[in-house]
């Protein structure tokens, strides 16, 4: 199935086959995950989210991948493109979205956290509707590029739901408190130019060029230092994410510390059952 109409010069190969998503590897450091329910405007059900969690975890553990493009497959039979229209309302029960076993879940929260803490760059490519929980997914990506026809918006207060986590607090960090309140309280739709003006997206392209533009951005990122980018991402998160954000950032500095002779002396002294000798290491100004 055609995902986006752009020519990318990327040699995409299928990484793993799923029912609700498409998952490809460019072979040069980029993964592409596309929600593939275009007839439902790419609304997600628990299975869709489980598959995305699985794909993102495969990405997480592959040292060759530095950038993920998250998008929506399309168009549908009427020619409409979507990024994602949020939770599938047709299977929404009393406590969440019902999976094939009858369990009700809101597992998209796990996915938001995984994208947020993935030690790689996630770029949303928005080829059409990004509504409800779909708009939140593009929000939690590190960068977002929209096609000219993209439409953004929230529907929660109209359809009996709300995302009071990243969907509202982090939105307010990006677009400001007044605009965030407007988006949620009025449930209006915004075009890509308005989304760019309010800081919801980084750039706008023609839909034909959306995927190619994502690949260009990805390749520019891939030329840079993976460790620097990983720690910068954690640092941007830490500013908003409380102790969980500090844990993420400080954990990476601990990993860097492991590689120093000073840290190795502590480990070796323990294993050799002797007191550690840190006298070679100064209290750097
Ligand atoms: C996207 C919209 C604006 C597109 O309008 P358009 O082009 O007129 O198409 P439609 O004819 O409306 O739709 C085409 C077909 O697709 C189905 N469909 C569309 N969206 C959904 C959906 N979300 N669920 C199920 N089906 C969907 C239509 O039914 C139609 O099918 P047919 O042809 O068979 O009739 C427009 O479609 C629209 O407004 N969609 C609904 C958007 C919406 O309200 N989404 C849900 C919002 N809530 C969430 O996403 C909650 C999940 C969440 O992330 C969350 C996270 C943390 C904490 C809380 C929450 C929470 O809010 O619960």
């Amino acid at each position: 199935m055609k995902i986006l109409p752009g020519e990318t010069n990327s040699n995409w190969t299928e990484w793993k086959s799923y029912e609700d998503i498409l998952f490809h590897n460019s072979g040069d450091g980029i993964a592409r995950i596309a929600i593939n329910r275009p007839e439902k405007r790419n609304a997600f059900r628990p299975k869709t989210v489980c598959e995305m969690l699985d794909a993102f975890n495969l990405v997480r553990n592959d040292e060759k991948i530095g950038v993920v493009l998250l998008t929506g497959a399309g168009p549908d039979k009427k020619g409409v493109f979507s990024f994602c229209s949020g939770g599938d309302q047709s299977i929404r029960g009393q406590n969440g979205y019902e999976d094939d076993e009858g369990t009700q879940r809101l597992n998209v929260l796990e996915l938001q956290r995984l994208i947020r803490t993935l030690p790689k760059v996630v770029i949303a490519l928005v080829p059409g509707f990004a509504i409800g929980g779909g708009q939140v997914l593009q929000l939690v990506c590190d960068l977002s590029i929209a096609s000219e026809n993209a439409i953004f918006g929230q529907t929660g207060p109209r359809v009996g739901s709300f995302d009071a986590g990243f969907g509202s607090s982090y939105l307010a960090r990006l677009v400001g408190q007044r605009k965030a309140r407007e988006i949620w309280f009025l449930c209006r739709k915004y075009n890509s130019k308005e989304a760019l003006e309010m800081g919801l997206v980084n750039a706008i392209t023609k839909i034909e060029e959306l995927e190619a533009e994502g690949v260009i951005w990805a390749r520019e990122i891939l030329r840079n230092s993976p460790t620097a980018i990983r720690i910068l991402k954690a640092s941007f998160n830490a500013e908003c994410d409380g102790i969980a954000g500090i844990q993420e950032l400080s954990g990476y500095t601990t990993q860097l510390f492991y590689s120093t002779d000073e840290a190795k002396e502590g480990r070796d002294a323990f294993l050799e059952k002797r007191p550690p000798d840190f006298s070679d290491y100064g209290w750097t100004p």
Side-chain angles (χ1 to χ4, degrees), residues 73-90:
D76 74 347
K77 289 189 191 101
K78 292 180 188 156
V80 179
F81 280 95
S82 308
F83 175 75
C84 173
S85 64
D88 186 331
Q89 299 304 293
S90 66

Side-chain angles (χ1 to χ4, degrees), residues 39-41 43-44 78 80 85-90 97 106 108-109 112 129 131-134 155-156 158-159 161-164 189:
E39 302 308 323
K40 289 213 163 212
R41 301 285 181 266
F44 54 77
K78 292 180 188 156
V80 179
S85 64
D88 186 331
Q89 299 304 293
S90 66
Y97 296 85
L106 193 55
V108 74
L109 298 178
Q112 291 176 2
F129 290 108
I131 305 286
T155 59
R158 210 174 56 222
V159 300
S161 73
F162 52 84
D163 183 336
K189 294 193 181 73

Side-chain angles (χ1 to χ4, degrees), residues 182-252:
E182 176 192 308
I183 290 169
W184 275 99
F185 295 172
L186 278 69
C187 295
R188 285 184 182 167
K189 294 193 181 73
Y190 301 87
N191 62 33
S192 48
K193 196 163 165 278
E194 292 167 314
L196 183 67
E197 276 161 11
M198 68 174 99
L200 209 50
V201 302
N202 296 85
I204 303 173
T205 65
K206 292 184 189 313
I207 189 161
E208 298 78 14
E209 292 160 12
L210 181 59
E211 189 172 292
E213 188 67 12
V215 169
I216 289 169
W217 284 51
R219 289 190 177 142
E220 268 183 64
I221 293 164
L222 290 168
R223 285 202 287 270
N224 296 328
S225 152
T227 305
I229 289 181
R230 187 166 70 131
I231 293 182
L232 282 167
K233 173 165 175 172
S235 161
F236 288 124
N237 289 352
E239 197 260 331
C240 318
D241 291 359
I243 294 175
I246 294 169
Q247 182 226 29
E248 189 190 332
L249 177 62
S250 64
Y252 292 162

